[in-house]
Amino acid sequence: MLTGKYRRDQPAPAGSRVTIGDIGPWMRRDYFTDRNFAKVERLRKIAQEYGMSPANLSLAWVLATEGVSSAIIGASQPEQVRSNVQAVDLMLTDEMKAKINQSIADNEPEAE
């Protein structure tokens, strides 16, 4: 979702992980909710504000989180690996982290 591959109200691209049989608990189709797409949109705006991709912003946030010693990435293309490595050098300010935390907070009820 952070890369833009999966979009609200659009089918998943042919051959993507969610279109292939049993995708397992790490990438369930029920993650694609309006609430989660709204979070991604808020993260996308923050990333744009700071000149980063949403995926790199999110990786930098994970790496800046106390108690986290590493981040596991799911890159399947060499250019994704190169892009993800850039997140290691991104330094998030307290203001940036607060914006990210606020944008992903579960304070909105899921529509029934």
Side-chain angles (χ1 to χ4, degrees):
M1 292 174 75
L2 292 168
T3 65
K5 179 188 283 189
Y6 305 105
R7 300 281 187 164
R8 187 190 320 241
D9 300 325
Q10 292 182 9
S16 63
R17 290 179 181 145
V18 299
T19 63
I20 301 171
D22 181 16
I23 55 176
W26 50 270
M27 188 157 181
R28 300 186 340 229
R29 288 176 189 90
D30 61 347
Y31 290 157
F32 300 124
T33 64
D34 283 340
R35 177 188 285 166
N36 287 342
F37 277 113
K39 289 178 186 183
V40 169
E41 287 307 312
R42 291 191 296 268
L43 284 172
R44 199 175 299 287
K45 288 177 185 175
I46 294 168
Q48 185 176 23
E49 179 182 342
Y50 293 110
M52 302 177 191
S53 73
N56 279 0
L57 177 75
S58 299
L59 283 171
W61 175 82
V62 166
L63 294 170
T65 300
E66 189 174 324
V68 174
S69 59
S70 64
I72 299 172
I73 59 170
S76 58
Q77 302 292 323
E79 58 271 11
Q80 292 169 329
V81 174
R82 285 189 285 276
S83 176
N84 289 339
V85 167
Q86 293 173 356
V88 172
D89 294 325
L90 298 175
M91 302 310 267
L92 302 183
T93 66
D94 289 341
E95 176 186 335
M96 293 167 78
K97 288 187 267 186
K99 280 185 181 183
I100 294 166
N101 290 338
Q102 183 178 8
S103 76
I104 60 174
D106 270 325
N107 53 9
E108 300 172 18
E110 185 69 47
E112 296 288 326

